[in-house]
Amino acid sequence: MNTPPTRAERLKSTLLSLLLLALLLAIWHLATLKPAALPAPAAATLTPEQIEYARLMGKDPATLAAASSGSGAVSGKSGFPTLGQMAGALRENLSRPFYDNGPNDKGLGLQLAHSLGRVALGYGIAALVAIPLGFVIGMSPLLWRALDPFIQVLKPISPLAWMPLALYTIKDSDVSGIFVIFICSIWPMLINTAFGVAGVRRDWLNVARTLEVPPLRRAFEVILPAAAPTILTGMRISMGIAWLVIVAAEMLVGGTGIGYFVWNEWNNLSLPNMIVAIGVIGVVGMGLDALFGRLQRAVTYVD
């Protein structure tokens, strides 16, 4: 069993993390410094396809060209934003996170809220299905053997492979995104719940039977606490997969969400905003994982 780190060890790891972050930022600064010293072109030019696309998106090509040559997008020959441009993009997105200027111009916070809402709904429905079904499968070896071939066939299918079928049958991009989250979240929770329930010590169940504990009470007061760490592990894995998939799904279906925001900023040639959104995706994913990790530790027990 791993021993928890001491305060001195945590301090050392924190300092090392900060050192690595400073090193990364220094490399970034040096990589974007040299192109910035080169003479800037008189005016940025867009290809005919980019000009046509900008007009289709309702944007002014001249403004877009000026933005791509100035502080709004990229710098120099490398085409990668400087740290100063990144700081400006971060400040701009954080200063107005919930503005709404139409379908293709919403704040980062608003797009993030749409994604979290879809994940919460799809993940919640998956939990309502997977955990009771996992309980039943775990308590019945016969049912487990009967359903196992179906689970093994459906589990490896990429969630995004379900997207065309969902769009065709459901005919709604928002609901299709929720369905994709549901289908990718259900398998880790189902398998871990069944495994955890099946792994409850026979001695505890025999004692409960000897004391004539009713089945429902035995399920909630004996089996559920014993299987809770394994169930939470499955829920934690499912949440990680759901957050990975929602970004890709929103890039496909469009409309709203943090995935669509990244794709839209790429189409707008706004690399700083795109990188800020990628960073937000990572931070939110880390927060969700930390939340489930805390819940997992709360139900873990020493056998």
Side-chain angles (χ1 to χ4, degrees):
M1 185 176 178
N2 295 330
T3 56
T6 63
R7 185 175 179 180
E9 289 173 337
R10 285 199 298 269
L11 181 61
K12 287 180 182 177
S13 62
T14 302
L15 289 175
L16 183 59
S17 296
L18 292 175
L19 183 62
L20 291 173
L21 177 61
L23 180 63
L24 177 64
L25 293 177
I27 292 173
W28 188 332
H29 176 67
L30 292 175
T32 55
L33 183 62
K34 185 177 178 181
L38 295 174
T45 58
L46 299 177
T47 64
E49 291 80 8
Q50 289 173 323
I51 294 174
E52 182 66 21
Y53 186 79
R55 286 172 177 162
L56 287 174
M57 297 295 292
K59 296 183 179 298
D60 183 10
T63 305
L64 197 61
S68 64
S69 64
S71 59
V74 296
S75 72
K77 190 175 178 180
S78 70
F80 211 76
T82 65
L83 290 179
Q85 290 169 337
M86 288 304 307
L90 181 63
R91 184 170 56 251
E92 182 181 348
N93 280 286
L94 294 181
S95 63
R96 298 171 60 223
F98 298 105
Y99 76 88
D100 188 353
N101 292 335
N104 292 324
D105 191 11
K106 299 180 188 299
L108 184 59
L110 197 59
Q111 302 282 28
L112 184 61
H114 280 287
S115 295
L116 288 172
R118 288 193 186 103
V119 168
L121 196 52
Y123 182 87
I125 296 172
L128 290 176
V129 173
I131 294 176
L133 184 59
F135 243 83
V136 174
I137 295 174
M139 296 175 70
S140 171
L142 174 65
L143 194 58
W144 192 340
R145 286 194 296 273
L147 292 178
D148 188 59
F150 298 97
I151 295 173
Q152 296 306 322
V153 169
L154 295 174
K155 185 182 64 174
I157 298 175
S158 168
L160 294 181
W162 294 97
M163 181 59 81
L165 187 61
L167 288 171
Y168 178 77
T169 54
I170 300 174
K171 303 185 188 309
D172 185 293
S173 58
D174 278 339
V175 181
S176 297
I178 293 169
F179 170 77
V180 169
I181 296 303
F182 164 79
I183 204 71
C184 77
S185 303
I186 193 170
W187 306 118
M189 279 193 280
L190 176 65
I191 294 171
N192 274 52
T193 302
F195 182 77
V197 171
V200 175
R201 291 177 58 176
R202 298 293 102 181
D203 295 344
W204 299 349
L205 297 176
N206 291 335
V207 169
R209 287 194 189 94
T210 303
L211 297 175
E212 297 182 348
V213 177
L216 193 61
R217 186 181 174 191
R218 188 165 65 234
F220 280 97
E221 296 187 6
V222 179
I223 299 175
L224 182 60
T230 311
I231 296 173
L232 260 296
T233 300
M235 294 179 72
R236 188 177 181 180
I237 295 170
S238 290
M239 178 51 74
I241 296 173
W243 189 241
L244 281 175
V245 170
I246 189 63
V247 175
E250 288 172 344
M251 284 184 178
L252 287 176
V253 300
T256 55
I258 191 72
Y260 175 69
F261 182 86
V262 172
W263 188 246
N264 195 40
E265 293 305 316
W266 161 247
N267 288 327
N268 291 338
L269 305 178
S270 182
L271 209 54
N273 283 339
M274 194 178 75
I275 295 174
V276 168
I278 291 172
V280 169
I281 291 169
V283 171
V284 173
M286 183 181 70
L288 292 172
D289 185 73
L291 174 64
F292 277 88
R294 187 177 287 272
L295 291 174
Q296 192 178 6
R297 286 192 295 274
V299 299
T300 299
Y301 57 90
V302 178
D303 193 359

